[in-house]
Amino acid sequence: MRPTDWRKATVERIRPETPRAATLTLNVPGWSGHRAGQHVDVRLTADDGYQAQRRYSIASAPADGAPQITVVEVDGGEVSPWMVSVAREEDTFEVRGPFGGWFVWDPAHTEPVLMIGGGSGLVPLMSMVRAGAPARLLVSARDRDDVLYLDELEKRGVDLALTYTRRMPLGWTGWNRRVDREMLWKWQPRVGPRVYVCGPTAFVESVADDLVFLGHDPANIRTERFG
Amino acid sequence: MSTTRGFFRRRSGDDERLPPGQYLERGFPVLSAGPTPHTPLDQWDLSITGAISEERTWTWEQFLALPSEDFTVDIHCVTTWTKLDTEWTGVSIDTLLDGVELEGGYLTALCDGGYTTNLPVEDVTGGKAWVAYRYDGDELEPEHGGPARLLVPHLYFWKSAKWVRRLIFREDDEQGFWEQLGYHDRGDPWLEQRYQGD
Ligand SMILES: Cc1cc2nc3c(=O)[nH]c(=O)nc-3n(C[C@H](O)[C@H](O)[C@H](O)COP(=O)(O)OP(=O)(O)OC[C@H]3O[C@@H](n4cnc5c(N)ncnc54)[C@H](O)[C@@H]3O)c2cc1C
């Protein structure tokens, strides 16, 4: 089978991540593995034959076997509410992939990397973290409920910085604004490492612009825009 | 065809104008591999080079002085959104090539930021492609490819290279940035040519 062939995916397990997000472990016969950061194309078919296709990053590490996707529900959306609120174990849809050869991290890249994620933009970064990427991670979230994988990140001892853009947890003394130049500078004044930035378009646009302003070489900045 | 339990259509679509696997988008999402370049207009130029009888370069003022066209087209991004009736102003590739003889059947669009994409000449000539510099009645914003981008609306939108600076004509097809990473060489949305092998 080639990555471009559609295959049946069966939902093997569902784990709620936050009130608005869930991780689905997929059983995909013939799945031949992926590189951390890649995505799959997903296709859902309604009873009347209507089909919808979307892209979802793979959250699991290549060594984890069965691919996992984490979906954050978009209000009024067509596919993400199904994934988060309707899907049950044993449900099926179609996937193909993996795709994407740029926004990836391979173990051969042993130097430290920086990662900046907003909302569901954390998903491909998590795959890289799980694969062992030596990363410092900056996460922008609306509130505590919006942070994916928080327990696991803490358990793994990942060098994690957080900023809350809407509601802060009780007793929070850290950042509570959107990522800006000053924050990026305080977080990591050294330029040089490769930087991965992923999230909604407006977020990626402004973070990538700020990184260039702070002296990062544009060639070292890899972006993935979800919007 | 296997269906998915509990999934149904939520979006209304103009099906005839939606290529397979695409959905109707009202916003204007962005796809690029890195930061958005911001080249000052006094340092901007556009050139045609390579396998052609005469190389040409235009400064920003010279480029704006070329005969332009207003056109309304549908655009189709490989990430599965389609946007209908987008309004642009740009210079037709036919105008850029007026009086020049082509010595090859392919071209590479080279952009600020180092991004490239490859196209057959027949996909950009005959009124099918432009270098566009206005969108929706305004200057083209940097995140959407400003000051000027290639516009080849009948192919997936990554072929409409943002921040285009040079069209390099070639005798042989040479894969561009996304194409080397597994995207299709031609990218016809109606044939759903998303990835190499489609
Ligand atoms: C390469 C890539 C990887 C992605 N990986 C993930 C992932 O790992 N997890 C994940 O949850 N999503 C991911 N996405 C986004 C995902 O593909 C869908 O766009 C998202 O789930 C919304 O689809 P929907 O059918 O629910 O909403 P739609 O029916 O498509 O849209 C509903 C409304 O929401 C708006 N909208 C669409 N997408 C978004 C968005 N991302 N954020 C905010 N508003 C939006 C639309 O403009 C529309 O108005 C990825 C996108 C790309 C391009």
Side-chain angles (χ1 to χ4, degrees):
Chain A
M1 266 197 178
R2 301 170 310 164
T4 44
D5 293 331
W6 287 102
R7 313 144 199 240
K8 187 168 167 175
T10 306
V11 178
E12 209 170 69
R13 210 157 4 102
I14 300 179
R15 186 177 65 235
E17 294 286 353
T18 71
R20 300 191 306 124
T23 294
L24 282 66
T25 303
L26 306 178
N27 181 353
V28 185
W31 178 255
S32 53
H34 73 284
R35 295 163 71 193
Q38 285 189 303
H39 67 268
V40 288
D41 284 7
V42 163
R43 183 163 77 182
L44 276 61
T45 305
D47 285 336
D48 63 2
Y50 172 74
Q51 294 188 320
Q53 255 188 63
R54 299 288 185 274
R55 299 184 151 184
Y56 291 101
S57 304
I58 302 168
S60 44
D64 296 344
Q68 300 182 342
I69 58 173
T70 302
V71 179
V72 177
E73 187 161 346
V74 172
D75 289 337
E78 191 169 71
V79 173
S80 61
W82 186 88
M83 294 281 179
V84 178
S85 306
V86 181
R88 300 196 294 245
E89 284 166 21
E90 301 301 320
D91 276 344
T92 59
F93 50 85
E94 291 172 290
V95 301
R96 58 181 201 148
F99 298 118
W102 177 246
F103 198 81
V104 291
W105 178 84
D106 292 308
H109 190 90
T110 50
E111 293 106 72
V113 294
L114 302 175
M115 296 180 174
I116 305 164
S120 56
L122 193 51
V123 179
L125 303 177
M126 193 61 188
S127 176
M128 301 179 193
V129 166
R130 286 169 168 159
R136 296 192 69 188
L137 182 59
L138 172 60
V139 171
S140 171
R142 284 189 251 178
D143 51 42
R144 199 85 181 181
D145 279 349
D146 194 37
V147 192
L148 298 169
Y149 320 119
L150 188 54
D151 288 349
E152 183 181 340
L153 287 167
E154 283 171 351
K155 231 179 273 156
R156 284 177 179 271
V158 172
D159 181 344
L160 171 70
L162 276 160
T163 181
Y164 292 108
T165 57
R166 296 230 183 120
R167 199 157 39 85
M168 294 176 284
L170 217 59
W172 178 253
T173 54
W175 288 315
N176 64 329
R177 59 179 200 273
R178 287 167 187 276
V179 174
D180 56 25
R181 282 174 194 175
E182 194 201 328
M183 188 187 298
L184 287 167
W185 176 255
K186 289 227 166 96
W187 175 60
Q188 170 59 281
R190 197 169 71 83
V191 300
R194 184 187 290 176
V195 197
Y196 294 89
V197 189
C198 187
T201 291
F203 172 83
V204 172
E205 250 343 272
S206 94
V207 170
D209 277 354
D210 287 343
L211 289 168
V212 172
F213 177 88
L214 290 172
H216 289 264
D217 180 350
N220 282 340
I221 305 172
R222 299 190 178 205
T223 62
E224 183 103 285
R225 293 158 165 94
F226 278 8
Chain B
M1 188 165 18
S2 78
T3 61
T4 296
R5 181 197 59 83
F7 172 71
F8 57 93
R9 174 189 198 120
R10 285 199 180 181
R11 289 173 157 274
S12 56
D14 188 340
D15 282 337
E16 308 238 299
R17 294 167 70 187
L18 277 184
Q22 296 291 107
Y23 73 88
L24 199 60
E25 173 65 57
R26 308 211 182 272
F28 195 164
V30 173
L31 171 74
S32 20
T36 295
H38 298 273
T39 302
L41 292 178
D42 58 7
Q43 287 164 33
W44 186 94
D45 58 21
L46 177 72
S47 53
I48 54 173
T49 62
I52 48 176
S53 59
E54 178 202 332
E55 306 199 328
R56 292 179 177 170
T57 301
W58 297 270
T59 64
W60 181 248
E61 284 76 26
Q62 290 166 336
F63 173 66
L64 291 188
L66 292 171
S68 68
E69 295 171 15
D70 297 328
F71 53 98
T72 302
V73 293
D74 301 344
I75 53 180
H76 313 288
C77 180
V78 70
T79 65
T80 71
W81 56 265
T82 282
K83 196 167 166 57
L84 302 177
D85 300 320
T86 59
E87 293 175 19
W88 303 83
T89 303
V91 176
S92 168
I93 305 299
D94 298 328
T95 304
L96 300 179
L97 294 177
D98 193 25
V100 175
E101 233 164 276
L102 294 178
E103 288 148 17
Y106 301 92
L107 73 148
T108 297
L110 177 65
C111 308
D112 277 325
Y115 176 74
T116 54
T117 193
N118 56 309
L119 294 141
V121 164
E122 58 205 37
D123 272 322
V124 300
T125 49
K128 289 201 283 289
W130 298 263
V131 174
Y133 56 92
R134 290 180 74 77
Y135 167 69
D136 207 15
D138 256 314
E139 284 168 21
L140 183 57
E141 286 183 34
E143 67 181 79
H144 292 308
R149 74 181 297 161
L150 196 60
L151 212 87
V152 194
H154 68 288
L155 300 178
Y156 280 125
F157 212 39
W158 89 80
K159 293 289 183 182
S160 294
K162 294 186 229 188
W163 317 301
V164 68
R165 293 289 299 278
R166 202 188 307 170
L167 304 179
I168 306 166
F169 290 83
R170 302 180 186 281
E171 285 172 36
D172 301 312
D173 200 10
E174 198 166 296
Q175 290 186 328
F177 180 83
W178 292 112
E179 292 82 5
Q180 284 173 34
L181 294 169
Y183 284 81
H184 200 275
D185 278 328
R186 175 126 193 283
D188 182 340
W190 296 97
L191 301 174
E192 230 186 325
Q193 294 170 333
R194 297 180 198 274
Y195 307 102
Q196 304 281 352
D198 268 343

